[in-house]
Amino acid sequence: MAAGKHLMFVYGTLKRNQPNYIFNTSAFDGISIFRGKGRTVEKFPLVIATKYNVPYVLDSPGRGNNIEGEVYEIDDKRLKIYDDLELYPINYNKKQIQVKLKKEIEDEEHSDNNHEILQCNIYIITDFKKELLSKPVLSNYDDNLQENKYVTGENRYQFDNLNYDTKCDVKENWPKIETNNPNLPIPIFVYGTLKIGEHYHKYLKNPEKGKAEFVGEAETNTKYPLVVESKYNLPYLLWSPNNGNNVKGEVYNIDKDLLAWLDEFEDHPKTYIRLPSLVKINGVLKNCWCYFTYFLKTIDAELLSKPTLESYSQAQYPCLEIGW
C-alpha cells in the first residue's frame, strides 16, 4: 500500500446503508474508495454492547465467527476522521488482520488457491470486560435488522448528555473518574482561561459555583493541538491525539457542584466534550477530566490551519467577555 493510503475493514455502522456511512462519502475531507465486500480470515466475536447498541469486535481470535464487512481504501485525511469517530486510541485500538474479498468467497468451493487476501486495519477492542464474551455473537451486523437501534452521537447528547463513563461497560480499564462519591475530589486539568491569572479563573475561586483546590502545574502526557479561535480568542484543545504539543496547564480537585457548573460553562458535550486524559504532575501520571473540542462536531478548517501552542496566555491572546 502506497504511503498515505490505508485499507480499512469496517464491520458495523460505517458500512453502506448503516448509520455512520456518511463518513465514507464525499461529505468529509479526504478519499474513501470502496474496494468490495469482505470476510475476516480469522474468527472474532462481534457483539453489540452499551446502552447505545454499538457493534464491537473483541480481540479474541478464534472465537465467534468469520465477520462480514466492507473494505475501503482511504487516505490520511479520511483516516483522521475515522480515528476521531472511533475515539482512537482511547476507546478502540487498531489491528492488522487478513480479509478475503467477497468475490473470492463466492468462488471458494471451486478454487482453493485463487483468493485475494488483503491486509486491512480493523478497529477492535483489546482491553474488554470478559463478560462480553458471553454475549450473542454476530457474523454480519445490520442496524436495520436490530430490535434495539444504534444511537448516533448527536442523539446521545439528548439521550443522557453523552456521559462517556458508559464506555466502562466495554473496556476493562477505561480511565474512569469517580464523580458520584461526594467524599472523593474530582481531578480536572485546565489549560486556558481558567488558569491562574487568566480571564475566567475567578469562577474557580467562587464558592457559589463549588469547591476547587489547586493541586499543581501539569502537562498532557499525549500531544494535542492547542489553538486559539479568531472571534473571541478562546483556546480550543482539539481531540487529535499525537499532534501538536504536550500542553501545559493546571490540575484542580473540584466537587460535583463545580463540575456540573463547568459542564454548562464549557457547553459540554456540544462545543467541548469532557474526556479523561492522562497528565504529568510532579513527574507522576494522573488521570483527570479535560475539555476537548471534538473534530467531527465543531472543528472547522480554520482551526485546523492555526498554529498550535504549548501554553495559552491571555497576555498574548486577550479573550472577550462572553457574559457568564
Side-chain angles (χ1 to χ4, degrees):
M1 183 61 56
K5 302 294 183 182
H6 314 271
L7 285 180
M8 306 297 297
F9 177 75
V10 302
Y11 53 84
T13 62
L14 282 167
K15 296 191 300 183
R16 291 177 297 181
N17 301 314
Q18 300 302 315
N20 285 325
Y21 174 67
I22 189 173
F23 297 110
N24 272 319
T25 70
S26 59
F28 288 86
D29 287 342
I31 297 170
S32 177
I33 301 171
F34 176 71
R35 288 285 300 270
K37 293 183 177 180
R39 186 176 72 186
T40 61
V41 172
E42 274 192 292
K43 293 181 178 180
F44 291 93
L46 169 58
V47 302
I48 297 177
T50 80
K51 58 186 171 184
Y52 303 138
N53 303 313
V54 179
Y56 292 100
V57 168
L58 309 179
D59 193 5
S60 185
R63 294 174 178 257
N65 302 298
N66 302 100
I67 297 170
E68 306 281 345
E70 297 173 354
V71 176
Y72 289 85
E73 181 179 329
I74 64 175
D75 64 0
D76 286 340
K77 288 184 178 179
R78 191 60 63 96
L79 179 65
K80 175 66 176 66
I81 291 171
Y82 270 36
D83 285 350
D84 288 341
L85 175 69
E86 306 293 7
L87 277 179
Y88 167 83
I90 197 172
N91 184 26
Y92 289 92
N93 286 326
K94 275 186 289 201
K95 180 177 181 177
Q96 282 229 329
I97 63 168
Q98 291 187 323
V99 174
K100 191 183 299 184
L101 287 187
K102 185 71 172 180
K103 62 180 180 180
E104 307 295 351
I105 296 171
E106 293 170 347
D107 294 338
E108 189 169 356
E109 61 180 320
H110 304 295
S111 172
D112 292 329
N113 302 311
N114 191 28
H115 304 317
E116 183 182 4
I117 305 295
L118 300 177
Q119 289 289 127
C120 299
N121 285 302
I122 185 175
Y123 289 99
I124 196 165
I125 301 292
T126 55
D127 179 30
F128 57 87
K129 291 194 170 182
K130 301 310 176 191
E131 54 262 36
L132 290 181
L133 292 173
S134 64
K135 283 184 169 288
V137 292
L138 307 176
S139 59
N140 190 5
Y141 171 83
D142 186 348
D143 187 62
N144 301 298
L145 302 179
Q146 298 300 317
E147 181 178 355
N148 297 314
K149 302 296 185 184
Y150 172 80
V151 181
T152 60
E154 57 268 25
N155 289 326
R156 294 177 201 180
Y157 299 156
Q158 304 164 16
F159 197 60
D160 68 350
N161 206 32
L162 196 60
N163 183 354
Y164 274 93
D165 281 354
T166 57
K167 297 296 182 186
C168 295
D169 295 341
V170 176
K171 300 277 284 186
E172 184 64 43
N173 292 309
W174 175 261
K176 183 175 175 62
I177 302 173
E178 179 61 58
T179 58
N180 294 318
N181 188 337
N183 298 317
L184 292 178
I186 302 167
I188 192 160
F189 175 76
V190 301
Y191 52 84
T193 60
L194 289 167
K195 294 190 302 180
I196 294 172
E198 302 298 343
H199 194 72
Y200 292 119
H201 180 70
K202 57 189 176 184
Y203 295 127
L204 290 185
K205 307 301 289 183
N206 186 343
E208 293 182 0
K209 310 297 185 188
K211 296 179 181 178
E213 177 187 0
F214 177 73
V215 178
E217 295 181 346
E219 67 175 25
T220 60
N221 188 51
T222 300
K223 292 182 178 181
Y224 297 102
L226 173 61
V227 302
V228 176
E229 60 86 37
S230 300
K231 187 175 181 180
Y232 297 104
N233 273 347
L234 293 176
Y236 286 132
L237 190 60
L238 309 186
W239 174 256
S240 183
N242 303 313
N243 291 297
N245 303 290
N246 298 102
V247 175
K248 298 184 183 302
E250 299 165 357
V251 172
Y252 290 83
N253 283 333
I254 64 174
D255 63 9
K256 192 175 180 180
D257 290 339
L258 185 54
L259 181 67
W261 187 88
L262 286 173
D263 280 351
E264 183 179 359
F265 175 73
E266 303 288 10
D267 194 29
H268 164 75
K270 296 179 181 178
T271 303
Y272 293 89
I273 284 180
R274 174 164 51 83
L275 290 171
S277 181
L278 282 174
V279 302
K280 291 180 183 177
I281 179 168
N282 299 323
V284 177
L285 289 177
K286 184 177 180 64
N287 201 29
C288 299
W289 287 119
C290 183
Y291 291 97
F292 288 92
T293 301
Y294 186 38
F295 176 80
L296 293 175
K297 297 299 175 188
T298 51
I299 299 178
D300 58 26
E302 182 201 2
L303 288 181
L304 292 173
S305 66
K306 286 183 173 294
T308 60
L309 308 176
E310 188 177 85
S311 179
Y312 169 84
S313 169
Q314 183 180 328
Q316 186 177 4
Y317 298 97
C319 76
L320 301 179
E321 182 72 46
I322 297 180
W324 281 94

